[in-house]
Structures are given as C-alpha cells and as structure tokens.
C-alpha cells in the first residue's frame, strides 16, 4: 500500500510514522507537480489541502483516501472526488488551541497597549499615561460557535468576560453565556467590546458583514477576523476603519493571500495585519500527524472509526 | 469628621463619594505639601502611599486612620504610625486582575511573536516563518502565591499550562498543580518555560535570584518580573541576558524608577521594559474607592469589619 505525501514533513515525524506503520510504502515529494508516476500508484494522498486539481484525481487511479492536514476545504475538487468515491478526512479541531490563544493575545495586546509600549521603549520613554484597560467584565461576541469559537469563549470566560455566540440555530453551546441566531446580530452589536469572526467561507457567510453593523458598535470596540477574509468586502472594511466606526481591526485573513505590498490595509494605523498565522505553531503538524496516525490505523485494519470525515456533498 | 485626600481623584468618583457620605467633610490637595493646616485637622488621610513622612504623622494630630489606595507599603513611616496607634488599611487585592492579565498578555506576546509581526507589518512583509508557539502544555513557575500569583495561576491553568508555585511554607494553594518551598527552587528551574516573580520587596526577597538560577533554566525560557526590581541585582540580570542564559526578560519593575534614559535595559533586544504599568488600568482607582467606601462605612458606624488592615509591625 503506497502513501504519497505532497509536502515534506520534518524528519522526526516522518521517521516516527514509518516506524509505527512499517507495512506501508511512503513517497515524499515537495509539491504535487513532482509526483509524476507516483500519483497513479498512490492509494493514500496526504496533502496540506491546496494543491489537488481535477486532473490529479483523474490520474490517481489507485487513490482511495485523501488525508488533508489542514481544515480549509475551499480548494478541494469535491465534484471529481465524489464521482470517484474517494474518502476525505481532514485535520479540523487542531486549530482551536493556537487560534484561541492568538485571539486572547490580540485582545490583551490591545487592552495592555503593548504596541505603543514597545514604541515608547524604543524612545527610552517612561510614561504610564497610555489608556490601558482590562478584559475583565468586557463583552465578546463570537461569530461561529464550533470548536474554535468555543475554545475562545472558554478562555474569555476564564478572563471573567461576558461571552455571546452567534450561530445558525441559536441552540445553547458550552462556554457561551448567551447564544443568538445571526438574525439577531444587529441588536447585540451596541453592547459588545470585541467582535470576533471565526466563520469559514461558504455561500451563507460570504460578505455578511456590512457597514451598518460596524456603525452600530461602540467607537471603542475591536474587530478580529481569524476566519476567512470574505466575511466582509475589503472596500467596506476600509470605509469602516477610515470612518473610525470602531477603534481597531485585527485581520489575519484576506480575500487574496498573501496580502499584496502596497495594499491599504498594511498602512492604516487602526488596522493590524498578520499573515494568516493564528493557527500556525510548531505544534500544528505534530497534531495533524496524530490524526493521520489514528486514521491510518483505522484504514489498515478497516475499523471504521475515522476522525474528521469530510462530507464531500457539503464540502466540510 | 474631616477626610484629607493627598491626590486628586476623578470628579465622578469624588462626587459619588460625597453623595454616599454627606456627613463627612472633604479636602482634596494635589500633593501632601499643599495640605498646610488641613493636615492637623484630618481624622482620615487618603493617600496613594508614597508621600507620608514622619513629620507629617507628627503634624497630623487628629489622625486616626490612613487609607492607602495602593498596595506597596515600602515608603510608609510605620514606626511613627505605630507609636501614634493609627489604623492603616490599603488596597491590596485590586492588583490581581490587571496584573494577571498583563502577565498572560506578555507570555502570549512572546509565544505569538507579536513584536516581530508588528515589525514585519511596517515593512509590508507577509512571512509566516516566525517561531510562533503556544502556552498550552508549557510550565510556569510563579514566585509568590498570594492573590496575584493565584490569579496568574488560575488563568495559566485555563490555558492548559502546568503551574508551579513557590512560597515560604510549601503549603498547597488553589490553582497551583504543585507548590514548593524556595529551598527547592533550583531543582524546579530546568523544567520551566516561564518564570514569573510577583514578590514584594522585603529582607527575605531582596536579591534572592542569582546568575546560577538562570544558568539552570532552558535557553528558551522567559523571565517576567512584575513584583519588585530588587529581587535580583541589575548587574546580575544584565549578565544573564548578555550571556543569553534565557531567551527573554520582561521587566515592569526596577530598583530605581523611573528607569533612566540611557540605562542598558532599554537597549537590549532580549529585554522588554515596561513602565511599572502592569496593575494600572482605568479600573484601578474605582476599585480602590470601592474598598475606601466599605471601610469608611465601617469607620463611621464603628462596625469593625475593615477590609485590608495593614499589620504595622510586619509592614504589610
């Protein structure tokens, strides 16, 4: 049984995998375009998820399972995959810890004025006049109440924050003091201090945030987008920040990534740009490999207890 | 009954106090040196805690109670206060929330590489190669297991960190996975990732940290000092950071404050200087006033349930 990796994992992880499953044959290529004939022989493809196209699926005539070591499924050729009846699993769930830590980190960076403190330090200025604040007693609204949203809410509650979640059903979710449906979003906006989106990109989430939403928020409030860039049009968000409807936006995701040099987001004082890094830590690939190993054992022994099967109809 | 404030609180807080206790007479002066004759008439002095000297206590012949709206008691003329039998209360406990938030904020700033990310942003560079990490599964050692240390440990546990506390008795304390006495410090140092001191300055804590302690720590570990600067000699800490025994030091407190322009701490890349700001947020004075109001009610009605009586023998 041949397993083709379309990326090059660290030596240690690779060796550990080979040692655990010596019955498999492994091929590691740097990109899928280097795979050549290996593609037609592979029964399993392990991919970071943004490289597979229809013609690869056609060429991979032995393919039975695709393990994606990320969670973003927008680039997957699901039509073709469905046609061939190929199993897809992914690494969703491993993002929640780093992304929740990143979110709290950004909120504290804002509340504790770490960037202005850093600028003062460069000038050797000792001044305690910065408008530092607290997370305690502040209200956070999280768009998306899945694993990532819940982990953010859990930590926010530890900080004695009030947590409001918005999802499609309005059904109660652990760690949220209150859950509302998206239909009630507008009535919530005037109360909140932090507005966090961890929404994926789907037909239902694309461009759902409008200028009016930010106009309803406090001038002191903060927007954090760690989900997908297309939850709001770039031109709309630019206008929001130019008009200072809110005080700051932290953006980790963009409609076109990498964000181009010269893009106005880079330059605006009240926008912080980070390079889609909230889930990326050195723990990322090891955690994805834990899922891979579990699922590989399941595949080999035909046990049927896969973690994270992707519904190829729905695309997630 | 006359109450003398040796600082000028916000109008709103002042008015609220006057409205709550209209039976008292209030004097507000900008510094104690502006008090003049008011000093001899004051039955109560409300002070930020660093202005009272022996001669003030001598002159304040009506004085029965000093309410200090901070927690640092190093500058209080306790000998003279004891001689006169004056009650002292302070605002200890109100620091724990902002200081714990600040500590977690610094750890996340380090783990998430927020300062290098900010530098990249200035250059409009999209790069995901920074060595970002997580707090999850890391070990934090906290010197001092009082209210502040416990609040840091509580939040650290929420981040799935391992929490070790060091105190004088070694008695278990809530939110610490493990408590050790200071005598066992050396054996703990090789395991830890974050080393946080919230110790006050006393004869027992002064200069207790030595070069050897940092040499025992991991090269990747981080030191955070939010307690008092004199837990380590400046020359020793400089040598530690020059030798890169650890990767970073976050210093909020110093032996001489404000830290002078030109001091080597300002310039070192692996030292972050903040201006003794960890407990200062806009919630600080309102929280101190809550204690003042409680204690003033107690004083007026002679109820005996004071919050935060200071032991003038021990000085805290």
């Amino acid at each position: 049984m041949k397993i083709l990796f379309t990326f090059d994992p660290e030596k240690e992880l690779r060796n550990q995998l080979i040692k655990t499953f010596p019955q498999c044959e492994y091929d590691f290529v740097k990109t899928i375009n280097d795979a050549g004939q290996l593609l037609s022989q592979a029964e399993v493809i392990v991919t970071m998820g943004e490289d597979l196209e229809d013609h690869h699926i056609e060429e991979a005539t032995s393919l039975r399972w695709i393990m994606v070591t990320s969670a973003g499924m927008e680039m997957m050729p699901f039509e073709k995959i469905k046609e061939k009846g190929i199993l897809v699993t992914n690494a969703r769930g491993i993002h929640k810890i780093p992304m929740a830590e990143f979110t709290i980190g950004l909120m504290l960076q804002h509340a504790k004025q770490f960037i202005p403190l850093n600028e003062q330090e460069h000038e050797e200025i000792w001044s305690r006049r910065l408008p530092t604040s607290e997370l305690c007693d502040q209200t956070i609204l999280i768009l998306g109440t899945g694993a990532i949203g819940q982990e953010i809410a859990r930590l926010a509650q530890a900080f004695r924050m009030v947590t409001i979640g918005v999802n499609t059903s309005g059904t109660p979710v652990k760690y949220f003091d209150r859950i509302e449906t998206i239909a009630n979003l507008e009535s919530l906006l005037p109360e909140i201090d932090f507005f966090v989106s961890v929404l994926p990109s789907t037909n239902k989430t694309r461009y759902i945030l409008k200028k009016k939403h930010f106009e309803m928020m406090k001038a002191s409030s903060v927007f954090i987008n760690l989900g997908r860039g297309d939850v709001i049009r770039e031109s709309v968000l630019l206008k929001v920040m130019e008009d200072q409807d809110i005080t700051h936006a932290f953006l980790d995701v963009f409609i076109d990534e990498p964000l181009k040099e010269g893009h106005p987001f880079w330059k605006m004082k009240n926008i912080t740009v980070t390079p889609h890094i909230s889930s990326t830590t050195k723990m990322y690939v090891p955690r994805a490999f834990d899922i891979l190993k579990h699922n590989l054992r399941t595949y080999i022994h035909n046990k049927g207890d896969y973690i994270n099967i992707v519904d190829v109809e729905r695309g997630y």
Side-chain angles (χ1 to χ4, degrees), chain A residues 49-67:
Chain A
E50 304 202 329
D51 52 359
L52 293 178
E53 296 174 24
D54 282 353
H55 70 95
H56 297 125
I57 307 298
E58 284 292 356
E59 289 163 46
T61 46
S62 317
L63 187 60
R64 292 184 52 203
W65 170 33
I66 302 169
M67 166 73 198

Side-chain angles (χ1 to χ4, degrees), chain A residues 213-252:
Chain A
H213 292 120
F214 294 88
E215 287 168 355
M216 290 169 186
M217 290 168 65
K218 294 182 200 169
S220 61
S221 63
V222 170
F223 176 56
I224 299 176
N225 189 5
L226 307 180
R228 282 295 178 260
D230 62 7
V231 76
I232 183 168
R233 281 184 199 280
E234 286 197 347
S235 56
V236 173
L237 186 54
L238 263 178
K239 191 78 174 65
V240 164
M241 301 316 295
E242 276 165 10
D243 291 355
Q244 300 179 36
D245 293 331
I246 61 171
T247 191
H248 205 90
F250 290 94
L251 309 177
D252 192 49

Side-chain angles (χ1 to χ4, degrees), chain A residues 25-39:
Chain A
E25 284 177 66
Y26 301 86
D27 291 301
F28 299 93
V29 294
K30 284 215 163 66
T31 77
I32 192 149
N33 299 321
D34 302 329
Q37 289 202 332
L38 298 172
L39 206 52

